[in-house]
Structures are given as C-alpha cells and as structure tokens.
C-alpha cells in the first residue's frame, strides 16, 4: 500500500482513479502527457481515451483495481524526465504511457525500460526506438512515425502529382515524416523545409512556397502548428493551385474544429477514423462522443487502445505483474479488439495495420473527416529489420 504522503502527492499531480483502500497490489499506470500549452488537445484526447476504457471497466484493468496518475509535461523535455523519475522512484508504477512528442519520448522511454518497467506508447513512434534502440519493454500501439506519411507518399504518387513541396517541424517526428513520405513518393521535390517546433507564423514559408510553384504540398504540422498553417495557406489563396496533403496529425478533429471550412476538400492519411465500420469502433465512437461531447480523434483511439492492451495483458497473467517475461508475452499477444480494426505487433513491437485516406467534409455546422478508402493493408514499418530483439 502507498503511504498517505505519497497518495497526497499523486492526487496533487492528477490522480484520476484509485484502488479501494484495502485492495492489495493495484496496477499502477503513470501517464505523462501534454495537457497545457501548444499541442494540449493531443494529450487531452489521449488521456480521455484511456480514461474512457478505465471507466468502462469500473476502474480496473484486467480485473485488477488500477491507479492512473496523470501529470502534465507542458511539452517540455525536462518536465517529462523529472516526472518519469518521480513515477518510477516514488509512485513505483508498473507501466508508463501518454507521451505525445517524439523528443520527449526519446528522453523518457530509455529511462523507463532501463528501470525494468514497461512503456506503452499511445502516440510518439520515433524511428530510433523502432530500430536500433528497440527494447523488449517498449511497445507502441499507435504507429511508427513514418507510417502515415508513407501512405500519403503512395497516395500522392498514385494520383499523379509530380512536383511536391515538403514541410515539417525540425524535430525527430518531423524528420521521420519527410523520410516516410519520400520512401513511397516517386516524383520530384520542389523543396524540403523544416520549421521551428511550435511555430505559429508561416508567412515566410508560404511566400517561398508560392515562388517554388509546386503542384501539391505535403506537410506535417501537428496541434496548433497545423491550425495556423492551414488557415494562413487558405488565406493566401493557394488551395486551388497546390492542394494540401498530410497525415491525420495535421487534420485531427480538434484541428478541424479550429480551422473550419478552410480545410474542406483536403486529404489526409490515418490508421483510425471515427466512421470505420466495425463493431469495436461503433461502440467506442458512440461511448466517447457521449462521454465527452466530441468525436474521437486518432489520439483518443490510441489512448483507448493503450488501456485495452494493458487490460488484455493484465488479464492474461491473472493480475500478477511480478513475472516480467509473462507480462511481456501477454502484451505481445495484443489480444484485444481495436477500434481501428485489424492490429498486431511486428517483431519490433510496433503495429502492423491498415492505413486509410480521408477527406475533410462538412458535418452539420462544422467539418470532420470521412474515410475514402484504404492505401495500405497490413503495413509494417521500415525499421523492424534493424531491431535485434
């Protein structure tokens, strides 16, 4: 049992669920995610998806009372590192999850795995952790960073675009995005531009883009970055001359709510959309919308799946997490019904899954994503061969 001071500290940090006072050996999950500042909507969706799964199971995962400690990293590396250390040393968590940003993941995941604990990524999937720096205790339920960009590279090629302008933030996920797109895109590249992470003014980039005269633009700008860029691009009158293509990270439901009709007709790729036609998704999308008053984004589905993965593994080991090897094998089995549909882990413990193309369409008084079709079936990442597990 945790002492009263530790429980008080956890409550101050954001304890969402707690085991009953007399319960022994609860499952302890530490969630480090972005709840304030730029990109907060992404972390909020991940948290809400995870919490929904926990609420549906009456505060239990795998039938075991579960403590979920949620702490805001404010998208700062040092914050995330300090929170992780506290969770490992004071809270003695069994599993860590929640990180949105790849630079934070690179700083935290090795610390968690070296401590003999498990990290379940509901979002960030940097190439290094999928390849040479993979680890038996690191699992990603979302994707490897390149995957959605690879799908758009294939789609843009299939549609006959020949000269594409590329833009992404200058951090690990941004570089993975461009690498992924180029892996499947077969045309010319008008320019390859890396912006500052968190940038909000794109006047200079748009002026340079106009001068380059591409026939299409591929960009990856998540969170508020994407909101500002799409608005400014539309205001510049460039949509008709060079249509925008991107991953779902630049067109999630939160971004679309802020951008509005400026995004109509743009296309993006994702492994999840709220309209996917399978029983697990129909139940999840309905429950999430009823609980939170908004459609679930891919981030919400990834938070939900992180909880479902832990739930399935805890159940397989009968609630006994003391045998790390058994728990690891239970996680690898991925024995749960994901709202995205077919899902399994590859040899580097990253998803093998279908990836779709979506169009931004009107939805009542607002806009939303509608699935158009599948780009990849059972798509695996490019780094698994570098993983020595």
């Amino acid at each position: 049992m945790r002492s009263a001071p530790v429980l008080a500290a956890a409550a101050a940090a954001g304890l969402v669920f707690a085991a009953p006072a007399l319960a022994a050996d609860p499952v302890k999950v530490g969630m480090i995610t972005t709840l304030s500042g730029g990109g907060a909507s992404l972390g909020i969706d991940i948290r809400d998806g995870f919490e929904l799964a926990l609420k549906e199971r009456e505060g239990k995962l795998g039938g075991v009372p579960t403590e979920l400690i949620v702490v805001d990293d404010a998208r700062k590396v040092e914050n995330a590192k300090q929170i992780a250390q506290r969770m490992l040393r004071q809270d003695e968590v069994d599993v860590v999850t929640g990180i949105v940003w790849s630079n934070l993941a690179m700083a935290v995941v090795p610390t968690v795995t070296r401590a003999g604990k498990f990290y379940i990524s509901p979002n960030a999937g940097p190439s290094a952790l999928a390849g040479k720096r993979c680890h038996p205790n690191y699992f990603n339920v979302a994707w490897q960073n390149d995957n959605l960009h690879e799908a758009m590279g294939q789609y843009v090629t299939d549609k006959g675009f020949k000269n594409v302008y590329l833009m992404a933030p200058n951090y690990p996920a941004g570089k993975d995005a461009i690498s992924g797109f180029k892996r499947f895109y077969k045309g010319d590249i008008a320019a390859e531009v890396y912006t500052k992470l968190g940038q909000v003014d794109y006047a200079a980039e748009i002026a340079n883009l106009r001068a380059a005269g591409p026939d299409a633009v591929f960009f990856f700008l998540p969170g508020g970055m994407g909101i500002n860029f799409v608005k400014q691009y539309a205001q510049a009158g460039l949509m008709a001359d060079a249509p925008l293509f991107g991953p779902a990270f630049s067109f999630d439901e939160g971004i679309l709510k802020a951008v509005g009709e400026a995004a109509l007709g743009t296309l993006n790729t994702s492994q999840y959309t709220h309209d996917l036609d399978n029983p697990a998704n129909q139940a999840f999308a309905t429950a999430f919308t009823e609980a939170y008053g908004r459609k679930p984004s891919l981030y919400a589905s990834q938070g939900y799946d992180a909880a479902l993965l832990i739930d399935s593994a805890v159940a397989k080991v009968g609630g006994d997490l003391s045998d790390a090897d058994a728990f690891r094998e239970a996680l690898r089995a991925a024995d749960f019904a994901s709202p995205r549909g077919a899902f399994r882990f590859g040899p580097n413990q990253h998803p093998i899954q279908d990836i779709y193309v979506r169009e931004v369409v009107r939805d009542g008084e607002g806009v939303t994503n509608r699935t158009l079709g599948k780009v990849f079936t059972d798509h695996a990442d490019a780094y698994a061969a570098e993983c020595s597990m």
Side-chain angles (χ1 to χ4, degrees), residues 83-359:
I83 295 164
Q85 291 287 357
R86 185 168 68 246
M87 286 181 171
L88 293 169
R89 294 174 180 175
Q90 297 181 19
D91 301 321
E92 298 181 336
V93 296
D94 302 296
V95 177
V96 180
T97 189
I99 291 177
V100 175
W101 309 96
S102 289
N103 53 333
L104 274 65
M106 291 299 299
V108 168
V109 171
T111 298
V112 173
T113 55
R114 279 197 301 267
K117 303 299 182 180
F118 290 85
Y119 185 87
I120 311 297
S121 178
N123 199 64
S127 55
L129 297 181
K132 294 178 181 178
R133 295 179 63 181
C134 67
H135 192 282
N137 286 7
Y138 171 72
F139 292 79
N140 189 307
V141 299
W143 22 257
Q144 190 279 317
N145 282 350
D146 300 29
N147 291 165
L148 305 191
H149 316 290
E150 291 171 336
M152 188 52 81
Q154 183 66 58
Y155 184 81
V156 168
T157 298
D158 292 344
K159 292 301 178 180
F161 290 93
K162 304 296 186 183
N163 187 36
V164 179
Y165 192 100
L166 311 181
M167 188 164 65
N170 188 17
Y171 81 121
K175 295 176 181 178
D176 286 346
I178 299 300
S179 294
F181 181 87
K182 292 193 297 185
R183 189 172 291 119
F184 284 83
Y185 172 63
K186 304 304 180 185
D188 295 329
I189 295 172
E192 182 174 325
V193 177
Y194 293 92
T195 65
K196 183 179 178 181
L197 184 64
Q199 184 171 324
V200 295
D201 184 355
Y202 295 95
E205 286 80 6
I206 289 173
N208 291 335
L209 191 158
R210 188 193 298 272
D215 60 5
V217 175
F218 170 79
F219 78 105
F220 161 59
L221 293 166
M225 293 179 283
I227 293 170
N228 285 282
F229 176 74
V230 175
K231 283 184 174 180
Q232 292 167 31
Y233 191 83
Q235 289 166 0
L238 290 172
M239 287 288 194
D241 298 327
L244 286 179
F245 297 91
F249 319 128
S250 300
F251 295 94
D252 74 76
E253 295 301 310
I255 286 179
L256 292 182
K257 185 176 180 179
V259 173
E261 294 199 353
L264 281 173
T266 53
L267 300 177
N268 63 94
T269 42
S270 183
Q271 89 288 13
Y272 174 79
T273 311
H274 55 78
D275 65 355
L276 289 178
D277 187 14
N278 65 71
N281 185 49
Q282 290 166 358
F284 165 66
T286 298
F288 188 93
T289 303
E290 289 177 352
Y292 301 110
R294 64 186 190 275
K295 292 183 176 69
S297 67
L298 78 162
Y299 303 108
S301 75
Q302 291 159 192
Y304 190 75
D305 277 352
L308 296 190
L309 175 64
I310 298 169
D311 176 65
S312 68
V314 172
K316 278 185 178 291
V317 298
D320 180 9
L321 275 61
S322 63
D323 186 339
D325 291 337
F327 186 58
R328 186 180 304 110
E329 288 304 311
L331 289 168
R332 283 177 180 154
D335 188 13
F336 66 95
S338 170
R340 80 192 75 180
F343 169 91
R344 69 182 191 277
F345 284 122
N348 59 346
Q349 297 172 174
H350 283 65
I352 295 176
Q353 60 190 335
D354 299 342
I355 302 178
Y356 306 87
V357 64
R358 318 183 303 180
E359 181 183 12

Side-chain angles (χ1 to χ4, degrees), residues 13-14 29-35 69-93 96-97 99 104 107-108 111-112:
V29 179
M31 177 175 284
I32 306 168
T33 199
T34 304
L35 302 175
I69 305 167
V70 181
V71 186
D72 178 16
D73 58 39
R75 207 175 75 185
K76 295 179 180 178
V77 171
E78 285 305 313
N79 287 359
K81 291 167 66 175
Q82 292 171 12
I83 295 164
Q85 291 287 357
R86 185 168 68 246
M87 286 181 171
L88 293 169
R89 294 174 180 175
Q90 297 181 19
D91 301 321
E92 298 181 336
V93 296
V96 180
T97 189
I99 291 177
L104 274 65
V108 168
T111 298
V112 173

